[in-house]
């Protein structure tokens, strides 16, 4: 803004809101005004929730999930089959797979993918932690659920190699046509994978 | 989520973030993870900024702007021409007009528009405050900058009537073609207004 039209505290709130993914400078102003209008229902509680999350949040030392306890809610859940570990790149992938609600397994968050160009090597990811978990025994299957990108697949290959001698079943997500997807909009790689992995009706 | 995968404090943060305009349930989760990853740069400062805004924010008793001082930054700005008042529906309109940076005037925020169907009458808006400000004297011009909607124009007429006897010039924003706008996409009302208000080149 050319001239100051409001207090520095509110300007600062807008500036910080603009850094939240999904909000830009313009929507940050709209969000700030909405928060201020809903002062007691939203601004106060959200500020407190952020403060509490800031104080309590920790990364699970076992699987890399984000939680307020360590080991996390997933790792300490007795109703899960802790002998199956789904390996994901990011916490957001863990949460996405849980929304699908298909598996009742444990997880392992790598924290990214191997990317030599960006200087990300095996030691920068939480791969040693995965090997330690498998070496401790009691693990039957590792499901590698990294993204179907070049970096993701490179990482999957690396992990498969490292786990090869530990006597654990290693699987990966199926490639194919997304549910609801139109063939015309899919790339050749996806279509050929879906054809090769065709199933009997 | 079907099963709990993280602590209740983080779930609560996600739920509250989903109520911020511009964020939905899915982007709230993404935003929460981003905030947690940028704990010290973003989550902590944003929580503090919200707490500070919650404690200090107030509505200007003179013009209705949102600020941390009362009267607000705009009302106490000596470099502004306080004899010209721009009347707007909402604080967001005040901020938008200030971004244009054309006028160096005072403002008056109505807090909405007359809307009999929704039970919003003159007493529900900050109209009396405007009449009081004009009655005190020293005001030369009132620029009515409400939205070009039916409710906005009804409100503009009402305010014009109420101010008619107070000896102050009353103007409104020009109607016309938005800068950068294509004629083909404009409605007939805008086009006829732009034609009637045509200017010599």
């Amino acid at each position: 803004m050319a001239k100051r039209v409001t207090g520095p505290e509110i300007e600062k709130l807008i500036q910080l809101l603009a850094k939240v993914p999904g909000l830009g400078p313009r929507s940050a102003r709209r969000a700030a005004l909405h928060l201020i209008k809903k002062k007691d229902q939203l601004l106060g509680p959200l500020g407190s929730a952020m403060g509490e999350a800031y104080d309590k949040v920790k990364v699970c030392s076992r699987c890399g999930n984000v939680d307020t306890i360590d080991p996390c809610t997933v790792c300490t859940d007795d109703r899960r089959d802790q002998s199956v570990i789904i390996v994901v790149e990011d916490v957001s992938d863990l949460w996405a797979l849980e929304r699908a609600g298909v598996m009742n397994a444990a997880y392992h968050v790598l924290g990214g993918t191997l990317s030599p160009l960006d200087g990300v090597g095996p030691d920068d990811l939480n791969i040693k932690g995965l090997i330690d978990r498998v070496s401790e025994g009691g693990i039957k299957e590792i499901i590698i659920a990294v993204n179907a990108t070049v970096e993701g697949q490179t990482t999957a290959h690396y992990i498969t190699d490292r786990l090869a001698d530990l006597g654990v079943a290693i699987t990966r997500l199926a490639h194919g046509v997304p549910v609801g997807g139109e063939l015309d909009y899919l790339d050749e790689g996806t279509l050929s994978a879906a054809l090769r992995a065709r199933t009997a009706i």
Side-chain angles (χ1 to χ4, degrees), chain A:
Chain A
M1 276 172 237
K3 270 173 296 186
R4 283 259 316 277
V5 291
T6 190
E9 296 87 353
I10 297 172
E11 298 273 13
K12 192 176 178 199
L13 175 63
I14 295 170
Q15 276 169 25
L16 286 168
L17 278 173
K19 294 183 185 171
V20 174
L23 299 178
R26 190 173 286 250
S27 41
R29 278 191 297 266
R30 193 152 24 96
L33 275 175
H34 182 83
L35 289 172
I36 287 167
K37 279 179 193 164
K38 303 243 171 196
K39 193 168 169 280
D40 291 312
Q41 302 100 302
L42 200 50
L43 179 61
L46 188 53
S48 306
M50 285 187 179
E52 200 168 11
Y54 179 79
D55 290 337
K56 293 191 179 170
V57 77
K58 48 194 67 143
V59 172
C60 176
S61 56
R62 188 167 167 77
C63 78
N65 187 17
V66 158
D67 205 327
T68 45
I69 52 171
D70 181 18
C72 75
T73 307
V74 175
C75 284
T76 54
D77 187 346
D78 293 338
R79 293 161 304 174
R80 285 175 188 272
D81 183 354
Q82 299 281 346
S83 72
V84 176
I85 298 178
I86 305 178
V87 178
V88 292
E89 290 179 21
D90 196 276
V91 176
S92 57
D93 301 324
L94 187 168
W95 293 5
L97 287 169
E98 277 299 301
R99 286 200 295 283
V102 175
M103 295 296 292
N104 191 30
Y107 285 88
H108 194 85
V109 181
L110 295 172
T113 46
L114 294 175
S115 179
L117 286 177
D118 300 321
V120 181
D123 295 339
D124 300 309
L125 303 179
N126 188 14
I127 293 177
K128 187 178 173 301
L130 176 64
I131 291 163
D132 288 348
R133 284 176 76 179
V134 177
S135 304
E136 283 169 16
I139 307 297
K140 287 189 307 217
E141 181 179 358
I142 300 287
I143 304 174
I144 300 184
V146 294
N147 291 330
T149 56
V150 173
E151 292 81 7
Q153 296 312 304
T154 309
T155 310
H157 278 295
Y158 180 83
I159 292 173
T160 308
D161 282 351
R162 291 289 302 272
L163 294 174
D165 301 330
L166 295 174
V168 65
I170 306 173
T171 56
R172 65 160 176 78
L173 295 185
H175 287 311
V177 179
V179 175
E182 296 186 41
L183 299 192
D184 196 19
Y185 292 98
L186 288 174
D187 63 297
E188 290 77 8
T190 302
L191 287 174
S192 64
L195 277 171
R196 282 196 304 270
R198 65 192 177 278
T199 53
I201 296 177

